[in-house]
Amino acid sequence: KSEMWAVVNQTLNQITGHEGWYPYDVSCNLNRAWDHTRIHKDCYDKDEYTFLLYLNPEFKPGHLGGTVYYEHEDLSNIVMSVQNRYGRVALFHCEIKHAGRPPHAYLTNARYSFAVKVARTKLEAVQREMQQSLWNDLDDEDKPEEMTKLTEEVGSDPDLLENKFVEYFKEELDNRLNDLETALKTAGGS
């Protein structure tokens, strides 16, 4: 756990009135003037939050690069906008539809933000991380079946789930490396 996590956790405790948050997705976002962003939610049907910290000390009002938040059903209606200001924090429930805005077209530098998605329990955090990884790794028809299978195997123990998660991806990596090795041998032999 880092000093940054202590700040995130303390902020969450103060605003939500709940203690014991667990991070499951920590990232640095980069948007350039020519990038297209999409309206999205960070989670579905969960008691989870997103902590967003703006990282551009050189950004001034008018440079854009903020985040806009939309009405739940009407995506043509922006209900709030947070301007990109160095050190500013936006904390919001993960079901709120939003989009990061790119910086103004005349700027050559990117918009940077530090994002942490958090869950209420360690088990939920591990499950969300697994779901996100599996969702990127599996074909659509295999996703619900594979998640159900993993959850049934480990029950509600977050450490066991985390170990199973690591084991699954090690096996996947080995399989892909074997496939690559076979393909290289086949290509070299023809």
Side-chain angles (χ1 to χ4, degrees):
K1 304 244 178 174
S2 68
E3 287 181 35
M4 185 65 193
W5 172 245
V7 171
V8 172
N9 202 27
Q10 182 179 7
T11 304
L12 284 159
N13 293 346
Q14 278 285 320
I15 292 175
T16 66
H18 298 289
E19 292 187 19
W21 295 96
Y22 293 85
Y24 67 83
D25 185 357
V26 178
S27 59
C28 184
N29 301 315
L30 175 147
N31 297 100
R32 296 161 299 207
W34 55 87
D35 288 338
H36 296 279
T37 60
R38 63 181 178 78
I39 300 170
H40 66 284
K41 294 179 182 183
D42 287 342
C43 76
Y44 297 88
D45 302 321
K46 300 283 182 183
D47 185 21
E48 298 172 2
Y49 288 83
T50 299
F51 176 96
L52 187 64
L53 173 65
Y54 295 99
L55 301 174
N56 292 85
E58 72 282 2
F59 270 39
K60 308 278 185 255
H63 285 183
L64 306 177
T67 305
V68 291
Y69 300 88
Y70 295 87
E71 190 173 301
H72 185 66
E73 296 300 323
D74 181 7
L75 296 183
S76 66
N77 187 18
I78 295 174
V79 294
M80 190 169 93
S81 177
V82 175
Q83 277 207 345
N84 183 343
R85 182 174 174 194
Y86 181 66
R88 178 171 283 166
V89 169
L91 178 66
F92 55 95
H93 193 277
C94 66
E95 286 190 313
I96 296 173
K97 293 180 182 177
H98 63 283
R101 294 297 178 131
H104 198 283
Y106 65 77
L107 294 175
T108 57
N109 50 337
R111 167 223 198 239
Y112 294 98
S113 61
F114 175 74
V116 181
K117 296 175 190 170
V118 297
R120 292 280 295 130
T121 68
K122 183 176 180 181
L123 179 62
E124 289 171 351
V126 172
Q127 286 173 332
R128 287 296 287 156
E129 187 62 36
M130 284 186 72
Q131 285 172 341
Q132 288 182 342
S133 298
L134 287 171
W135 262 226
N136 292 331
D137 196 50
L138 295 173
D139 294 329
D140 286 340
E141 63 272 5
D142 295 333
K143 291 174 183 176
E145 183 180 307
E146 191 66 24
M147 233 1 252
T148 301
K149 184 175 117 186
L150 282 170
T151 303
E152 287 172 356
E153 283 180 32
V154 299
S156 61
D157 182 344
D159 295 323
L160 190 56
L161 185 60
E162 196 168 34
N163 290 338
K164 190 72 172 171
F165 179 51
V166 170
E167 180 183 306
Y168 171 81
F169 281 101
K170 281 183 181 176
E171 184 179 313
E172 276 299 303
L173 181 59
D174 286 343
N175 290 339
R176 290 179 187 194
L177 289 172
N178 287 336
D179 290 347
L180 179 60
E181 188 177 299
T182 302
L184 289 172
K185 285 179 183 175
T186 303
S190 351

